[in-house]
Amino acid sequence: MRSSRGWRQRRPWTTRAVAGAVALALSGLVLAVTAPAASAATHPVSIRNLQYNPASMNVAVGDSVTWSNDDSVIHSVTGGPLNSPDLDPGENYSFTFTSAGTFDYRCKFHPDMTGTVVVGGSSSPSPTPTSTSTSSPTPTPPPTGTTSPAPSGGTGGDGEGGGPVGVGPLPVSFHLTDNQNAWFDTNTNLFGGRALAVAEMPRVPISGTTSSLPGLNLDGLPLIGEATGDGGLLGGDALGALNGDLPGLDEFDFDGSDAPLIGDLGVDPLKLLGLDSTKDAINKALPDGDPRAEEAATLLDQLSDEMEDKPANAPTTLDDLPVGADLLPLLEDIQKYAETNDLELPVTANFDVSAPAAASAHTVTGLIWPEKAKGFPFDQGGAFVGKTSVQLTEPGLYAFACKVHPFMLGAIVVDDPLTPGLDFGEKLRVNSRSLNVPSNADIIAELVQKFFTITVPANWQRYSDTEATQWNPSYPPAPILMNTSDGKQELVPSLDAYLKNKFNTPKTLPAANQKPSVPGVGEVWVDTQFEKFAGKSKPGAATKIDASDWTVDRKVALPQINMNNPHNMWTDRDEKYIYQTEWFNDKLDVFDRKTGEFVRQIKVGPDPSHVMTRTDTDQLHVALNGGGAVMELAPGGTGIDRRIPVQAPGEKIAHPHAHWMSGDAKHMVTPNVNTYDSTIVDIPTGGIRKEKTGELPIATGMTPDGAKAYEANFLGGSVSCISIKEDACVDGGTKTHYKEIDLWGDYDPVKGATGDFGGLPIQLPVTPDGSALLVANTLTSNITVIDPKTDKIVKYLPCDAGCHGINFGAKKGGGYYGYVSSKFSNAMSVVDVDPNGDGDISDAKVVGRMLLTGDDNTKMDDKITGYAGMGGQGVLAVPLVYNGWAQRVPGNAVNDQLTCRQRNPIDYESKCS
């Protein structure tokens, strides 16, 4: 869309060719070197599906072990004397053990990959063990994305810098980090966010130079002469492509039918619609004197004139304009000319996952991409540390997410400069339900709007407890070219105006001072994961609300350990401790529930997400979201007792997130975000079985009798009901083993909603008495109420931006409150599923909303410096009132308020007379 900066000279291609030849010769020399013959047995280990197979083995002194990378991504064998080079797919590493002992090792790229070699025989001084690394003569070709080093360069910082001088086309580079709004960090601030990048599809004229280089790596090709696209755009260029340099566009109200026309905005329509840049690109693409350039300029001026009386907040179909009959065929003809006479190069996107910015493992998973883009769907075998890259081969919208931390988002708009506006593409694939939709589809607008809500902190909802406030999220005022189902082009004059109109913003947020008329019992803890503090570099705190008066009593940030993104909590049987996961780290923290004082920290493994306790032993179960297991810890978190894998040896690593455990301590159910299934674990034995789910199951709920579990399918837009023992799910009045509850029953992803619907569901607990299931929906900012007796949707309730966490606590006098957190709001909501206690959940309603920010009376161990009350995720109510835990809560002045029925949620009829 925008004009290019001309050409930049690169290092001569001949230099690179010589360097490549030298590298090839050296690799051949390595292949020619033969390792010494082993003096004893050689034992093979296959690296596949992010696991060492076998992970443990016994060998004798003098034996060798050879590790073969049979996976599709890079690995290593690292630990003690084992120190392999980085092993690309198809490469091997051998090591001869010359002394007895136990040798533990790991993969430095995948933190949950561990192995052990036990060497028997006498232990005596011996020469240094020998190791060799070789390449397979026929290595397995890696996929488009690997964890090998990515190309250099990037989109630069907050100015024009950042790209290597003289290199083109420029890549787009993201650094994945632990910090709010910079999870996919371009190091460039665009409209208050750092997760958006803009690129131009590079085209260079075909010449004798380029045509004589068959097989040349096009990513290193110099831009020759008058190129029509530069790849990644830096600071001011990116801002200009999004119309950030046009003044006054934020002064208008674009919500409603009385929105201003384009001619009323006070800016030149030619610049607003990017038509001046289209002219420049056409002039560069066509040879001097080509009459099509002048004709196109005239028609683009006519388009600018005809658009002046069109609404600024709605798309205009270009075919319906008088100029369309002449302009569109001409632009198509120019594009065909460019395809024939120019060489179109891909835009490279680089992703870096490394400390200290990222203390944990992540994935880079394609969420949206153009239908014809090569190398998609883009993903890795599992969460990794290192670098990966992908080439973007088609103009359009690309979006990426981390499957482990799915609110981590990055996006790139790759523009074809020969078209009006920024290209979203003709048809887009969405990593949900195998969707292939036109770029003007409703689901695309939903996801784009949520992208800017999530990645721009200024767009988060900020409530006040004294007055109503206005929520007015803003978006880039960029012109967007979309396509309809019948292939027609629609031009959106301003993305900002379009999204504000479509989603009816600004909206009034009522004062967050609605306190339930009946108090709760005990306290509620909410992980306000995005709060910034003066005494630490990583975000987040655990926030305590006193349920007797709904005040924020305490915040625990633990600056002495730099607590990193606290995500989920549980308490012990004596209610002495709070167990706190650090989701973007490898630690579990323990602090005193009453005082907030730090007790201990224990390393458990990559990306610990959720924690619960066994009702029989009080041991902790911690899910390793970046790994493939649940860790069982001693009471108090004093040590690791057992590692419980949630996939079989050799199976793809599962990455479990929010597990749930039965009240009888017999079963645990994990949702596995990497394998799109669920694992049913027999807790005493560790035995497992797999069950199907929808796409990216992220959280589990369970009925109090342990008969069935529910999985929230984050990308599937559904809830899976899974029978744990005999058939327990209900489908049309019949008991069945499995049922999918569709949250999109009233939603068409192209045309939009015809009624309430849910999307991107997360936490979904069942009430302790089994009467209701609540589902928090991030996409739709609402709560689905489901009846577990029928497994049918009953109704929807409102929620805030980023609706995320729900857990149940006791309502004083009987019944339960559902406490609901939202990532992109500073408030907590309270749901009463049965306000009148008649057993009918159709009257469930929101009965409270209060701030999580704290005040002068809130006890804190550090000073809040930003995003107070934001990032609400894990929720814990104390006392625990779920079946199996409720019967064991200690007696005290607070817990004695529980009714007999609350202490015996499913067998009250026999226990409470």
Side-chain angles (χ1 to χ4, degrees):
M1 184 199 80
R2 55 172 290 285
S3 58
S4 302
R5 295 188 293 275
W7 69 281
R8 300 180 296 276
Q9 187 173 0
R10 291 198 57 157
R11 182 175 55 167
W13 70 270
T14 52
T15 303
R16 294 194 307 281
V18 170
V22 172
L24 181 61
L26 289 176
S27 67
L29 181 61
V30 171
L31 286 171
V33 176
T34 303
S39 60
T42 298
H43 306 268
V45 176
S46 173
I47 306 175
R48 186 184 297 274
N49 288 327
L50 275 69
Q51 296 183 67
Y52 299 107
N53 301 295
S56 179
M57 63 168 47
N58 294 289
V59 304
V61 172
D63 285 357
S64 298
V65 177
T66 297
W67 288 265
S68 302
N69 186 357
D70 301 320
D71 219 338
S72 60
V73 295
I74 196 169
H75 289 296
S76 77
V77 179
T78 307
L82 300 172
N83 188 22
S84 76
D86 297 345
L87 300 176
D88 285 320
E91 293 186 334
N92 305 322
Y93 169 68
S94 294
F95 188 92
T96 300
F97 292 90
T98 58
S99 61
T102 299
F103 300 88
D104 296 323
Y105 61 91
R106 63 181 178 84
C107 173
K108 67 182 181 181
F109 299 104
H110 305 97
D112 199 42
M113 284 183 62
T114 60
T116 301
V117 178
V118 179
V119 184
S122 60
S123 177
S124 60
S126 59
T128 303
T130 59
S131 63
T132 61
S133 176
T134 63
S135 298
S136 169
T138 55
T140 303
T144 304
T146 70
T147 49
S148 56
S152 61
T155 53
D158 292 308
E160 293 289 328
V165 176
V167 175
L170 286 176
V172 172
S173 293
F174 293 93
H175 197 154
L176 277 66
T177 82
D178 301 339
N179 295 319
Q180 56 284 79
N181 93 294
W183 298 295
F184 274 70
D185 190 1
T186 64
N187 200 31
T188 299
N189 192 317
L190 294 175
F191 296 93
R194 302 172 68 89
L196 174 66
V198 183
E200 288 179 336
M201 185 61 68
R203 289 192 180 98
V204 295
I206 295 176
S207 65
T209 303
T210 59
S211 62
S212 65
L213 301 177
L216 182 65
N217 177 7
L218 297 183
D219 186 48
L221 192 67
L223 293 184
I224 302 170
E226 290 293 302
T228 57
D230 290 331
L233 302 184
L234 305 181
D237 290 319
L239 191 67
L242 298 169
N243 279 341
D245 55 349
L246 297 183
L249 294 179
D250 57 351
E251 299 174 0
F252 295 91
D253 182 2
F254 293 110
D255 180 23
S257 59
D258 57 347
L261 303 177
I262 291 175
D264 299 330
L265 298 179
V267 298
D268 183 355
L270 200 71
K271 292 184 177 295
L272 175 71
L273 303 175
L275 305 181
D276 55 339
S277 298
T278 307
K279 287 184 181 181
D280 292 340
I282 290 173
N283 285 331
K284 291 182 178 181
L286 297 176
D288 292 340
D290 192 311
R292 289 175 294 182
E294 182 176 351
E295 182 183 1
T298 300
L299 292 174
L300 289 170
D301 287 337
Q302 184 179 340
L303 174 62
S304 173
D305 293 340
E306 292 180 10
M307 289 291 291
E308 285 198 28
D309 63 351
K310 301 300 179 183
N313 65 352
T316 294
T317 303
L318 297 183
D319 292 86
D320 294 342
L321 297 175
V323 72
D326 296 322
L327 174 62
L328 296 181
L330 177 61
L331 292 179
E332 183 177 356
D333 181 61
I334 294 172
Q335 288 172 332
K336 289 181 178 179
Y337 173 86
E339 291 173 1
T340 303
N341 294 273
D342 293 345
L343 188 63
E344 188 173 276
L345 306 180
V347 174
T348 299
N350 298 327
F351 305 90
D352 182 8
V353 182
S354 60
S360 61
H362 297 287
T363 75
V364 179
T365 303
L367 180 62
I368 301 172
W369 62 92
E371 177 188 28
K372 298 178 182 178
K374 296 179 176 63
F376 284 81
F378 178 70
D379 205 354
Q380 302 77 48
F384 70 96
V385 175
K387 296 181 180 181
T388 189
S389 62
V390 64
Q391 292 189 326
L392 313 180
T393 61
E394 294 289 330
L397 173 64
Y398 296 81
F400 302 88
C402 172
K403 286 189 292 188
V404 177
H405 314 90
F407 58 77
M408 294 179 62
L409 299 173
I412 308 169
V413 178
V414 179
D415 182 47
D416 181 350
L418 299 178
T419 61
L422 286 177
D423 292 271
F424 265 20
E426 296 180 7
K427 297 189 74 174
L428 296 174
R429 302 298 301 265
V430 182
N431 196 351
S432 172
R433 303 189 179 208
S434 300
L435 290 177
N436 188 16
V437 297
S439 55
N440 77 334
D442 186 83
I443 189 61
I444 300 301
E446 287 276 1
L447 292 171
V448 168
Q449 194 264 351
K450 297 308 177 297
F451 171 85
F452 287 108
T453 300
I454 291 168
T455 62
V456 179
N459 288 343
W460 297 351
Q461 292 179 333
R462 288 167 171 82
Y463 284 88
S464 165
D465 60 354
T466 59
E467 61 184 358
T469 57
Q470 188 180 72
W471 181 52
N472 188 20
S474 61
Y475 317 95
I480 303 296
L481 186 66
M482 301 179 180
N483 281 67
T484 65
S485 295
D486 55 2
K488 294 184 177 180
Q489 294 183 349
E490 288 186 339
L491 185 59
V492 172
S494 165
L495 182 65
D496 181 59
Y498 170 71
L499 292 178
K500 286 180 176 178
N501 180 51
K502 183 173 181 63
F503 293 98
N504 301 312
T505 57
K507 292 182 179 178
T508 298
L509 303 178
N513 56 12
Q514 180 189 2
K515 298 181 179 180
S517 57
V518 178
V521 176
E523 60 205 40
V524 185
W525 290 84
V526 177
D527 276 330
T528 42
Q529 193 172 316
F530 300 160
E531 289 179 317
K532 296 176 67 175
F533 289 87
K536 61 178 192 170
S537 61
K538 300 298 185 181
T543 297
K544 174 187 172 185
I545 300 96
D546 186 334
S548 67
D549 59 10
W550 309 109
T551 59
V552 177
D553 177 69
R554 182 183 296 277
K555 285 183 178 287
V556 180
L558 299 183
Q560 63 269 48
I561 59 170
N562 202 19
M563 183 168 67
N564 185 353
N565 281 275
H567 183 67
N568 183 259
M569 297 164 286
W570 205 257
T571 189
D572 63 302
R573 185 177 295 171
D574 296 328
E575 299 178 346
K576 181 179 180 181
Y577 301 123
I578 295 293
Y579 301 127
Q580 175 69 73
T581 60
E582 292 193 31
W583 193 21
F584 283 59
N585 206 337
D586 58 2
K587 312 288 197 308
L588 177 89
D589 304 325
V590 184
F591 63 86
D592 188 283
R593 184 182 68 82
K594 291 184 178 179
T595 66
E597 293 182 359
F598 173 68
V599 176
R600 67 179 60 91
Q601 184 181 72
I602 182 170
K603 184 175 180 178
V604 292
D607 307 283
S609 51
H610 280 236
V611 55
M612 293 183 73
T613 57
R614 289 178 58 162
T615 57
D616 56 347
T617 64
D618 211 30
Q619 291 169 295
L620 292 70
H621 279 201
V622 182
L624 301 185
N625 202 183
V630 174
M631 306 303 288
E632 187 174 75
L633 277 61
T638 57
I640 294 175
D641 291 341
R642 183 171 52 145
R643 183 181 187 272
I644 307 173
V646 294
Q647 69 280 309
E651 288 185 343
K652 185 177 181 180
I653 193 166
H655 294 342
H657 187 82
H659 61 291
W660 197 267
M661 302 165 69
S662 61
D664 60 8
K666 291 183 178 180
H667 296 100
M668 172 173 61
V669 181
T670 69
N672 304 321
V673 303
N674 198 45
T675 50
Y676 287 17
D677 57 19
S678 178
T679 303
I680 313 296
V681 179
D682 182 283
I683 294 176
T685 67
I688 66 172
R689 79 170 194 263
K690 287 292 192 78
E691 295 281 353
K692 70 176 182 179
T693 65
E695 296 163 287
L696 208 152
I698 195 170
T700 310
M702 189 181 293
T703 54
D705 59 0
K708 55 185 175 180
Y710 297 94
E711 301 283 35
N713 300 314
F714 186 74
L715 289 181
S718 64
V719 171
S720 293
C721 177
I722 301 169
S723 300
I724 297 177
K725 295 172 283 190
E726 62 272 4
D727 292 351
C729 301
V730 183
D731 191 359
T734 302
K735 295 286 184 70
T736 183
H737 182 75
Y738 178 88
K739 179 185 178 180
E740 193 96 353
I741 304 172
D742 189 4
L743 303 180
W744 282 18
D746 291 322
Y747 182 63
D748 183 315
V750 174
K751 299 177 181 178
T754 56
D756 290 330
F757 75 103
L760 301 182
I762 306 187
Q763 290 188 15
L764 68 170
V766 181
T767 53
D769 61 1
S771 62
L773 168 68
L774 299 183
V775 186
N777 296 300
T778 286
L779 179 72
T780 47
S781 299
N782 59 15
I783 302 164
T784 311
V785 181
I786 295 175
D787 187 345
K789 294 187 295 295
T790 62
D791 289 332
K792 291 183 177 180
I793 296 172
V794 175
K795 65 188 304 185
Y796 284 85
L797 299 173
C799 193
D800 291 331
C803 192
H804 182 105
I806 308 179
N807 231 326
F808 285 101
K811 175 183 175 183
K812 190 173 182 179
Y816 301 97
Y817 283 139
Y819 299 110
V820 185
S821 66
S822 297
K823 293 184 290 291
F824 311 110
S825 163
N826 61 351
M828 178 186 79
S829 298
V830 182
V831 172
D832 193 336
V833 296
D834 187 11
N836 58 10
D838 64 355
D840 181 2
I841 63 172
S842 65
D843 57 355
K845 64 180 180 180
V846 177
V847 296
R849 179 184 283 115
M850 62 280 305
L851 294 183
L852 295 173
T853 54
D855 55 28
D856 293 340
N857 296 316
T858 302
K859 297 178 282 293
M860 300 188 192
D861 57 358
D862 201 355
K863 180 181 178 181
I864 297 178
T865 59
Y867 308 134
M870 293 291 183
Q873 296 190 46
V875 180
L876 169 69
V878 180
L880 295 169
V881 291
Y882 292 99
N883 184 50
W885 287 269
Q887 292 89 334
R888 293 173 169 86
V889 298
N892 55 47
V894 172
N895 295 348
D896 289 347
Q897 298 177 58
L898 296 174
T899 66
C900 181
R901 184 166 181 169
Q902 288 171 330
R903 279 186 172 271
N904 301 276
I906 65 171
D907 56 356
Y908 60 88
E909 291 182 346
S910 62
K911 297 291 183 65
C912 307
S913 56

